[in-house]
Amino acid sequence: MRVNNAKSYFIDKLKDPEYFTERILKKHLWSVQAEILKSVRDNARTAVRSCHGIGKTFTAAMCILWFLYSHEKAIVLSTAPTWRQVEKLIWKEIRTAYREAIIPLGGSLAPKSPELHLIYNEWYAAGISTNEPERFQGFHEEHILVIVDEASGVNLEIFEAIEGILTSSGARLLLIGNPTAIGGAFHDAFTKPGFKTFHVSAFDTPNFTVHGITQEDIKSGAWKEKATDIPYPKLITPSWVADRYASWGENSLPYQVRIMGNFPEQGEDTLIPLLWIELAMERWEDMEYGEQTQIGVDVAAFGSDKTVIAVRKGQKFMPLNVFSHKSTRETAGLVSLIARENYTRNVKVDEIGVGRGVVDSLEEEGFENVGVNVAERSSNLDRFANLRAEMWWNLRESLDPDSLRNPEPIALPPDDVLLAELAAVKYKITVRGAIQIEAKDEMKKRIGRSPDRADAIVLALANVNRESFIYSGGETLTSKIF
């Protein structure tokens, strides 16, 4: 009788996700993480929008293991916008927790794929990519859990497919991520009934609450005296938030999303949705460099402006080269060095203002057709006010993950300053119906700095129809730039 009572007690305890995580997996949850897991237990649908670095992926992984081991013949499916997020983030956490559990959990954990089977094809957890909605068909069980990590980046077709398998009484859905896009299924979860929702800003997390650090403390610098220790080093920290406050500004889209956990208030005049930029930086890790190399150079005018050299190899950009206080001769020398290191003479420099001096120096060295005057007429006068507008729109289309004209979107290096610059660009439609990009000086007044990184990216991507020279082993070859 005592044995049966002990068994019943243990089974009841397993139904408590906090007990399972803390006592069986030996992983600590902070308060909101525990509340999220309990919501999945108690509610059919849970949605969490948060700032950067609250331990979202860790929470998802703990939820997967708890649900799998506390429900007989359960099926748990996890997905995210990219395969890397599924395989190398969520399932990395699962593998670690599985190995470090205080007792053997049992089952078979696949060595090279995101799968954990208790009974093969009957009781298991698996990671699924989001490139084909059909992958979500055919799953039916009384206890089924679907977790969508970084849910803003998952398209509507996937959500529609997921809905088709959430028909049982024990079905559960957890959507979790940064609120990078207005509209779509993730945004709707916070505006329509049916979901238990959570909103977590940086100031709700332990590294802030334990010391009572507020937004005003970040603005005034008082956080430095309060942050005597960091109890959760892996979570978002006051110093990181203070750096982003200084570089992005409180009202910028990245700050509102990544720090405050708010959906972006993107007006109709925003050129590039924040979600597209986030996705481009996310796929950078997995994309291979291509063969054709092009370089874009934005030359600093004065003061705090930066000279930026962007190198693109195929559809993937290398980490940006950023310099301060360089003369035109020095800048030309750096461009020449980087071009030779990457075996290319395909260089595009904004020649307006001080950029003309860099162009002259490069042409003296043998580079030809280097200068680009973005104020010139566009090749499509009916659509674009000038060449600059055409070049920026080309970047927009190259980042669009759903464009039929763009089968392989570009990959951008993870760079917080670049992200803020790209997300801040605005455009308008002129009286004659042409697209016009906000002037660089106007943007500098509005966001407090020149968009140097973004302009270099635009130049490296520019579809300039002219003769160019590609450096290869000391020989020059003539080719078109496309």
Side-chain angles (χ1 to χ4, degrees), residues 17-252:
E18 189 172 9
Y19 176 90
F20 180 85
T21 305
E22 299 268 358
R23 301 292 294 274
I24 305 300
L25 300 180
K26 300 299 288 184
K27 301 294 182 183
H28 181 63
L29 299 169
W30 65 278
S31 59
V32 172
Q33 289 175 324
E35 289 174 20
I36 292 168
L37 294 186
K38 290 176 182 178
S39 175
V40 173
R41 178 192 63 191
D42 300 335
N43 300 282
R45 296 163 186 267
T46 301
V48 184
R49 60 181 172 103
S50 76
C51 63
H52 176 78
I54 73 159
K56 295 186 297 294
T57 301
F58 169 82
T59 304
M62 298 306 102
C63 191
I64 288 169
L65 288 171
W66 162 74
F67 193 91
L68 182 67
Y69 284 97
S70 62
H71 297 84
E72 186 175 358
K73 291 189 176 180
I75 295 177
V76 184
L77 305 175
S78 65
T79 193
T82 68
W83 186 239
R84 173 180 171 271
Q85 289 169 317
V86 174
E87 185 180 32
K88 296 182 179 179
L89 298 183
I90 296 177
W91 278 80
K92 178 184 176 183
E93 296 281 4
I94 290 173
R95 292 177 188 281
T96 299
Y98 180 88
R99 289 194 305 266
E100 296 177 355
I102 194 171
I103 59 174
L105 293 179
S108 175
L109 182 62
K112 295 184 179 180
S113 61
E115 296 179 26
L116 172 55
H117 292 266
L118 275 63
I119 300 177
Y120 189 73
N121 281 347
E122 290 187 35
W123 188 351
Y124 62 93
I128 301 180
S129 65
T130 58
N131 57 339
E132 297 177 12
E134 295 78 13
R135 292 178 180 269
F136 290 86
Q137 295 178 358
F139 298 101
H140 296 287
E141 190 54 72
E142 178 184 355
H143 298 293
I144 185 167
L145 166 66
V146 179
I147 293 182
V148 185
D149 194 16
E150 294 302 345
S152 273
V154 175
N155 65 43
L156 184 59
E157 288 182 333
I158 298 298
F159 281 109
E160 290 174 347
I162 288 172
E163 286 295 333
I165 63 175
L166 297 176
T167 55
S168 65
S169 60
R172 295 291 186 268
L173 174 65
L174 172 61
L175 309 182
I176 193 165
N178 298 126
T180 53
I182 295 176
F186 188 53
H187 181 264
D188 288 348
F190 296 88
T191 58
K192 298 178 180 179
F195 278 84
K196 169 65 176 177
T197 61
F198 293 83
H199 172 203
V200 188
S201 80
F203 301 97
D204 300 318
T205 61
N207 291 331
F208 290 78
T209 57
V210 72
H211 299 300
I213 296 173
T214 66
Q215 173 85 319
E216 289 302 317
D217 293 330
I218 295 295
K219 293 179 182 179
S220 67
W223 67 271
K224 296 178 182 178
E225 296 180 0
K226 289 186 174 183
T228 54
D229 65 291
I230 302 297
Y232 290 77
K234 291 185 178 181
L235 300 185
I236 191 169
T237 64
S239 62
W240 191 85
V241 170
D243 287 344
R244 296 322 177 268
Y245 177 83
S247 61
W248 289 343
E250 179 183 0
N251 297 320
S252 68

Side-chain angles (χ1 to χ4, degrees), residues 162 239 288 294 349-350:
I162 288 172
S239 62
E288 298 293 330
Q294 299 193 39
V349 182
D350 184 353

